[in-house]
Amino acid sequence: MSPSTLAMMLGAGWLLVGIGVGGLLLRQGQPTSAAAAAVLAWPAMVSLLGAESMDAPGAGPFAVKITAAFAALRAALAEPALGGVVELNSLQGIERSLRRADARLAAVDRLLEDPVVASDAGSVRLITARAHAADEVEAVLRQLLAVRVQLGLVALAGDTSAVRAHLGELAARAQALEEVTC
Amino acid sequence: MHLLTLTTQVLRDPDAVAGSGDDHALARLAPPLLVLAVGGAAVLGLAVGASAGPLQSVYAAVKLPALFLVPPLVVLPLVHTFAEACGVSVPWSRLGIATLAGLARSGLLAAAAAPVLWLPFSLDAEYHLAVLAFVATFGLVALPALATLSRAVPTGGRLRWVAVLGTLAMLGLVTAQTGWLLRPFVARPAGVVAFLRPVESDIFSAIGATTRSATGDYDDDWQPRGSGLNRTVRE
């Protein structure tokens, strides 16, 4: 077998797997660009299989903060000393609620950009409700920071009950966001 | 994120890009990072193959991005498993985005190094020196990718250094042999331009031989031996 034939077979195999992974990502609602990248770099992107679609929650004013907060929290929980303190999956519910609230804020912001809506007498109520919802989202994000501080204490003292209780409280508060912002 | 903004961030603070490693960030950042890595490597390939004409340039521009991408991506599952075995838990998405961020940085550095390498190559540099210059340049531009990937392994844990060293060793070995299999990047002066050469020996014996040849020692002339699937064909 000539090296060129062998290389072409290996290359075709690599691309076929990549096309398969890319197709699955598209079916899951991931962006087309991510699916296209997976054709070449599928080993780096297999974690997206089964991940929550990016299309569902629209990016709102807190999208960057939410991403940063959860990335930092997950990185902290990945530390060997903190392994098993909290199931990473348990954070997904909180993140999902926050992203939904964020998407609704974005929708309200788009509405308020319309001068007709903004000049309506009822818009004051909408603006007040939006401010209240934004405060709630910020409060949950601040509490996520507090969880990271508590994780540091867990690493030293080993008492995980406070962190679990705090996360439970956060989950309830994030769940309440669904009602506040509706 | 705009490609130019990402380029700046990858060059200035690749760890920040690698640190944003959740699934959403991976889906958002992977495409532009891949473009930077492949584009940069292709530019270096164009420069490396230039001494043997446009066809060799095209071949090298196709193969060099493969040399950049394939080894780290092939080794990724092994790195993940090795880190877990050493007691260091690295989320897959973090590992993936750190790999792509490191590759993007190396790709950008490769593009920056291309004119430097192209100058001696265009002045008919001696073949063995040209090969060594290419290997040295590739090694230099690959270092930032290795550093970014190793810093993506979380701190803590007594065996973290074993995980990092193991990762670097695996990547080094696989990259070196992949480069050997994908040669020629620099065509021999009297050789026929080809996309790939027959599968022969391994990278380490060849580097030793080309180093001796570069210093004018041709006494122990190296002869490649057919191996792998080509053994029966060549022997």
Side-chain angles (χ1 to χ4, degrees):
Chain A
M1 185 182 294
S2 78
S4 294
T5 311
L6 182 63
M8 283 178 69
M9 282 172 60
L10 289 173
W14 179 278
L15 290 178
L16 275 177
V17 176
I19 289 168
V21 172
L24 285 173
L25 291 178
L26 270 183
R27 280 180 59 184
Q28 287 183 5
Q30 296 291 350
T32 312
S33 56
V39 173
L40 276 183
W42 56 268
M45 303 184 72
V46 285
S47 69
L48 290 180
L49 295 173
E52 194 178 325
S53 162
M54 284 184 73
D55 288 348
F62 293 99
V64 175
K65 282 186 179 176
I66 293 170
T67 300
F70 280 95
L73 195 52
R74 287 196 174 97
L77 288 170
E79 295 284 349
L82 297 171
V85 172
V86 177
E87 283 294 319
L88 290 178
N89 291 341
S90 69
L91 296 177
Q92 282 182 350
I94 303 174
E95 184 175 6
R96 200 176 300 123
S97 297
L98 276 175
R99 289 197 184 277
R100 282 181 187 149
D102 187 45
R104 282 193 288 272
L105 285 172
V108 172
D109 287 346
R110 282 192 292 274
L111 274 176
L112 289 173
E113 280 173 12
D114 186 345
V116 178
V117 175
S119 61
D120 187 84
S123 67
V124 176
R125 195 176 152 207
L126 180 60
I127 291 169
T128 309
R130 189 239 178 252
H132 179 62
D135 287 346
E136 280 297 309
V137 172
E138 288 222 63
V140 174
L141 288 172
R142 273 198 302 274
Q143 285 198 353
L144 279 175
L145 178 65
V147 170
R148 285 173 61 200
V149 173
Q150 281 185 331
L151 283 173
L153 293 173
V154 168
L156 294 173
D159 179 18
T160 62
S161 59
V163 173
R164 289 176 194 277
H166 202 149
L167 276 176
E169 186 188 324
L170 260 182
R173 194 161 183 178
Q175 187 67 35
L177 280 172
E178 311 263 351
E179 296 152 24
V180 171
T181 53
C182 279
Chain B
M1 189 181 288
H2 196 277
L3 199 60
L4 279 178
T5 314
L6 185 63
T7 302
T8 309
Q9 204 170 344
V10 162
L11 288 173
R12 285 188 175 169
D13 193 3
D15 293 344
V17 180
S20 60
D22 67 348
D23 288 333
H24 290 294
L26 179 61
R28 198 178 69 252
L29 292 175
L33 288 175
L34 202 58
V35 167
L36 292 178
V38 171
V43 170
L44 182 62
L46 282 174
V48 166
S51 59
L55 185 59
Q56 181 62 30
S57 272
V58 172
Y59 284 166
V62 170
K63 290 188 293 179
L64 207 52
L67 178 56
F68 263 64
L69 290 180
V70 171
L73 294 177
V74 165
V75 166
L76 213 53
L78 203 57
V79 171
H80 188 260
T81 309
F82 194 54
E84 292 282 345
C86 291
V88 185
S89 179
V90 197
W92 191 276
S93 54
R94 182 185 171 103
L95 208 53
I97 204 164
T99 304
L100 291 173
L103 285 172
R105 195 172 198 219
S106 288
L108 290 168
L109 294 177
V116 180
L117 208 57
W118 178 78
L119 181 63
F121 277 37
S122 64
L123 296 174
D124 291 332
E126 198 267 329
Y127 170 72
H128 294 289
L129 280 177
V131 170
L132 288 178
F134 167 60
V135 171
T137 305
F138 182 84
L140 278 177
V141 301
L143 282 178
L146 295 176
T148 305
L149 187 56
S150 62
R151 283 196 297 267
V153 178
T155 53
R158 280 183 305 136
L159 294 177
R160 180 185 183 274
W161 67 274
V162 178
V164 171
L165 275 184
T167 298
L168 297 184
M170 283 186 285
L171 268 174
L173 284 171
V174 175
T175 305
Q177 188 60 22
T178 306
W180 177 249
L181 293 175
L182 288 175
R183 81 210 152 91
F185 296 95
V186 183
R188 287 178 185 276
V192 179
V193 172
F195 187 67
L196 292 171
R197 277 197 202 141
V199 183
E200 299 164 335
S201 296
D202 60 72
I203 177 68
F204 304 103
S205 64
I207 285 181
T210 205
T211 306
R212 284 193 300 277
S213 300
T215 56
D217 174 13
Y218 295 96
D219 290 345
D220 183 21
D221 200 15
W222 178 78
Q223 290 298 321
R225 286 176 289 105
S227 60
L229 292 173
N230 259 32
R231 180 183 295 280
T232 51
V233 175
R234 296 187 53 80
E235 288 184 351

